[in-house]
C-alpha cells in the first residue's frame, strides 16, 4: 500500500505542505531510520557530503514534524531520547514524499530513500529535481542553514501576522498587491492560487498599488488570507496533476475556488466573466466586477 504525501506540477503552497506535514506526523513519528539511500547527491543541500547526510540520519528517531512557510522540518532524537538534529525538506515544484508500507519498485525519479523498519519507507521522489533535503546536527540552526527559511515573514495563523504589522508592511512600498502577497518575507506560505483567492474574497484588484490600500481593505485582505488557507487545509489542498493526500485521494479545494483557474467562467458572486491577466509576473485571475 502506498500513501502519497505528494506535490503536483505546481509550486505547493501552505495548505498542501501542511497536509503533507500532518501525514508525516501521523505515519513517521516515533520511528527510527534504519538506513538511508541517496540516489541523487545534488538533492542534498546540507551537509556538503551526502555521506555525512546519511551518517547523521541513520539511527535517528523522528519525534515531530513542523512546517515553516513551505518548508518541512523534522526534529530527531538519538536512541536515548536526546535531541540529535533536524531533517529539513523543501518540495519545490514536483517533490513528493511517499510513505510506503510494503516494498515498491524504485522509480527513475526517486532521489532519497529513508527506511524506517519492517519494510516501511519514506521515499523522496522529484521529477524536476528542484527539491532539497538538509540534515543539521544538534548544534546547528535550521534558520541559518536552510536557505531562505530564516528570512520568512510571519505565519498567517500566528499572532505576528497582526493588522498593524500588515498595514505597516503594505504601506512601505508602491508595488502591486499581488506581488506583495507572493513575497515570502511579507507573509509565509502564500503562492499564486491563494493570493488570487484572497484578493477576490476581499474585493481588491490584484494590480492595486499597496500604498493606496485603505486600512479597511487591508483588514479584509488579512481575514481573507486566513480564511482561504484554512478552507483549503480542510479540503486537503489543491490538486494539480499528481498531488494526493495521505489517503491517496485528491485535494478538493479546486472545486471551491472563486477565481483561480476559472478564466472565462462565470463569477460565483456576480455572474460576470473571470479574466486572466499577468500581474507580478504570474498568471492572475480576478473578477473585474467584484474587485475594484
Amino acid at each position: 500500500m502506498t500513501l502519497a504525501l505528494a506535490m503536483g506540477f505546481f509550486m505547493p503552497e501552505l495548505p498542501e505542505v501542511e497536509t503533507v506535514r500532518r501525514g508525516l506526523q501521523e505515519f513517521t513519528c516515533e520511528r527510527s531510520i534504519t538506513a538511508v539511500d541517496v540516489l541523487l547527491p545534488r538533492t542534498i543541500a546540507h551537509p556538503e557530503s551526502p555521506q555525512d547526510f546519511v551518517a547523521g540520519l541513520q539511527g535517528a528517531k523522528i519525534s515531530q514534524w513542523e512546517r515553516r512557510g513551505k518548508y518541512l522540518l523534522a526534529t530527531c532524537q538519538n536512541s536515548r531520547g536526546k535531541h540529535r538534529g533536524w531533517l529539513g525538506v523543501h518540495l519545490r515544484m514536483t517533490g513528493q514524499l511517499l510513505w510506503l508500507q510494503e516494498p515498491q519498485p524504485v522509480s527513475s525519479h526517486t532521489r532519497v530513500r529513508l527506511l524506517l523498519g519492517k519494510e516501511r519507507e519514506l521515499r523522496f521522489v522529484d521529477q524536476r529535481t528542484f527539491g532539497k533535503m538538509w540534515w543539521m546536527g544538534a548544534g546547528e540552526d535550521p534558520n541559518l542553514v536552510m536557505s531562505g527559511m530564516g528570512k520568512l515573514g510571519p505565519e498567517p495563523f500566528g499572532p505576528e501576522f497582526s493588522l498593524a504589522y500588515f498595514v505597516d508592511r503594505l504601506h512601505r512600498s508602491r508595488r502591486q498587491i499581488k506581488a506583495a502577497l507572493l513575497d515570502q518575507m511579507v507573509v509565509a506560505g502564500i503562492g499564486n492560487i491563494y493570493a488570487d483567492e484572497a484578493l477576490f474574497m476581499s474585493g481588491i484588484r490584484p494590480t492595486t498599488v499597496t500604498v493606496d490600500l485603505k486600512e479597511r481593505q487591508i483588514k479584509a485582505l488579512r481575514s481573507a488570507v486566513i480564511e482561504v488557507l484554512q478552507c483549503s487545509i480542510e479540503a486537503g489542498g489543491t490538486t494539480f496533476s499528481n498531488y494526493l493526500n495521505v489517503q491517496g485521494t485528491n485535494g478538493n479545494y479546486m472545486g471551491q475556488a472563486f477565481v483561480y483557474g476559472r478564466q472565462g467562467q462565470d463569477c460565483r458572486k456576480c455572474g460576470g466573466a473571470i479574466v486572466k491577466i499577468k500581474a507580478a509576473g504570474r498568471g492572475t485571475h480576478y473578477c473585474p466586477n467584484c474587485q475594484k
Side-chain angles (χ1 to χ4, degrees):
M1 175 181 177
T2 300
L3 297 172
L5 307 154
M7 289 295 114
F9 294 93
F10 75 107
M11 182 67 77
E13 304 182 33
L14 187 154
E16 291 76 46
V17 180
E18 176 62 19
T19 300
V20 172
R21 185 203 68 79
R22 294 180 183 190
L24 292 168
Q25 183 74 16
E26 179 178 355
F27 290 103
T28 69
C29 281
E30 302 306 315
R31 296 184 184 275
S32 294
I33 300 169
T34 57
V36 181
D37 186 13
V38 177
L39 285 79
L40 185 68
R42 71 171 180 268
T43 299
I44 308 306
H46 184 82
E48 184 174 339
S49 165
Q51 289 75 24
D52 291 339
F53 177 85
V54 171
L57 273 174
Q58 194 155 329
K61 182 173 71 173
I62 298 171
S63 60
Q64 182 177 356
W65 283 93
E66 300 173 72
R67 179 196 52 75
R68 181 73 173 97
K70 302 174 186 179
Y71 293 81
L72 291 162
L73 188 66
T75 302
C76 298
Q77 299 176 339
N78 61 23
S79 58
R80 299 183 299 278
K82 301 294 185 181
H83 179 57
R84 176 162 170 169
W86 294 270
L87 168 65
V89 184
H90 199 305
L91 300 167
R92 301 287 169 88
M93 188 68 72
T94 59
Q96 300 176 318
L97 285 168
L98 304 176
W99 174 242
L100 308 178
Q101 299 190 84
E102 58 185 36
Q104 298 283 343
V106 178
S107 73
S108 60
H109 300 306
T110 301
R111 308 308 178 193
V112 178
R113 302 173 67 203
L114 306 181
L115 305 181
L116 288 94
K118 294 185 179 180
E119 300 182 332
R120 291 179 172 86
E121 176 185 345
L122 183 60
R123 182 177 295 182
F124 186 65
V125 178
D126 186 15
Q127 182 173 335
R128 299 188 66 185
T129 72
F130 296 147
K132 296 297 178 184
M133 301 183 80
W134 295 259
W135 167 256
M136 296 148 287
E140 296 182 279
D141 184 348
N143 285 309
L144 299 178
V145 175
M146 295 174 69
S147 55
M149 195 170 79
K151 298 178 180 179
L152 292 176
E155 289 288 319
F157 304 135
E160 294 83 6
F161 186 53
S162 65
L163 177 59
Y165 162 82
F166 205 28
V167 170
D168 178 64
R169 284 304 302 258
L170 294 184
H171 281 172
R172 288 186 191 180
S173 69
R174 297 192 57 84
R175 56 181 168 173
Q176 294 179 348
I177 183 57
K178 176 67 181 282
L181 288 177
L182 295 178
D183 185 345
Q184 300 301 294
M185 291 189 290
V186 173
V187 57
I190 301 175
N192 208 34
I193 298 172
Y194 304 110
D196 285 1
E197 292 292 289
L199 286 168
F200 173 82
M201 293 168 66
S202 56
I204 299 171
R205 190 162 292 204
T207 53
T208 303
V209 177
T210 55
V211 75
D212 293 336
L213 289 168
K214 306 281 194 299
E215 183 170 328
R216 60 175 175 75
Q217 293 176 294
I218 297 174
K219 181 178 181 180
L221 179 57
R222 176 181 173 275
S223 296
V225 164
I226 295 170
E227 181 180 349
V228 72
L229 293 175
Q230 288 175 332
C231 288
S232 187
I233 290 170
E234 291 171 5
T238 299
T239 290
F240 279 83
S241 189
N242 65 335
Y243 168 72
L244 302 172
N245 67 15
V246 294
Q247 285 77 37
T249 58
N250 292 337
N252 294 317
Y253 180 77
M254 201 59 193
Q256 307 173 29
F258 289 105
V259 291
Y260 189 84
R262 300 189 66 244
Q263 60 269 24
Q265 298 181 44
D266 293 344
C267 174
R268 301 187 193 278
K269 183 176 179 181
C270 75
I274 301 299
V275 301
K276 182 179 181 181
I277 62 171
K278 184 79 71 158
R282 304 293 297 277
T284 299
H285 309 78
Y286 78 103
C287 174
N289 296 331
C290 296
Q291 294 170 256
K292 304 297 184 180

